[in-house]
Amino acid sequence: MRRGAGDGVRAERWRDGRWISRGVLAAVFAGAGAMHFVLPDAYARIVPPYLPHPVLLVYVSGFLEMAGGVGLLLPPVRRAAAVGLVLLLLAVWPANLQMVLAARAAHAPAWAVALLWARMPLQLLLMAWVWWSARAAPRPTA
């Protein structure tokens, strides 16, 4: 059976792995977003106290996580979904900091506080992963 001219391009995109990343990220964001609806009070506790309507913010951020995750799978909106998810990850950064501060105030074990601190730079890696996975695979040169 003769291979078509587009087979090499499809094979190259297959090897690139971005489609796997998008699937994993979609599952992660959809699952995390759904948890906002399952355990809203737990998430509301880490909303910084200076922000109003913590439960509403939890629901909105959960919906946006789910929508962004699904959006990564849809080529027409993939880039917009990635931008939205990166901005959302940036917007929830204060909640992650609030979680660290609350753990310290509650005299959580040092290892637990250290893990929460370690999560902060991982947010940057997650942002980069989202952005990379949404970009088109490089075109083969030959």
Side-chain angles (χ1 to χ4, degrees):
M1 185 164 148
R2 192 171 152 252
R3 291 172 50 138
D7 289 345
V9 172
R10 278 193 293 272
E12 189 65 32
R13 287 185 183 154
W14 180 266
R15 283 191 296 272
D16 180 60
R18 290 174 207 259
W19 65 275
I20 294 172
S21 283
R22 287 191 290 268
V24 170
L25 286 167
V28 166
F29 280 106
M35 291 306 295
H36 286 66
F37 293 91
V38 174
L39 301 168
D41 292 335
Y43 287 92
R45 283 194 292 275
I46 65 167
V47 173
Y50 56 84
L51 293 174
H53 313 291
V55 174
L56 176 62
L57 292 174
V58 166
Y59 288 140
V60 169
S61 63
F63 172 79
L64 292 173
E65 281 188 36
M66 291 187 297
V70 171
L72 289 176
L73 301 175
L74 306 172
V77 297
R78 182 173 295 144
R79 292 294 291 254
V83 169
L85 286 172
V86 167
L87 292 174
L88 180 63
L89 288 166
L90 189 60
V92 300
W93 205 318
N96 293 331
L97 180 59
Q98 183 64 34
M99 198 170 11
V100 172
L101 298 176
R104 287 182 60 195
H107 305 292
W111 63 267
V113 174
L115 284 176
L116 292 172
W117 274 119
R119 181 180 174 180
M120 301 296 285
L122 290 178
Q123 237 14 56
L124 293 172
L125 291 175
L126 188 56
M127 289 178 199
W129 184 18
V130 166
W131 191 251
W132 173 82
S133 73
R135 293 182 50 218
R139 299 231 181 246
T141 54

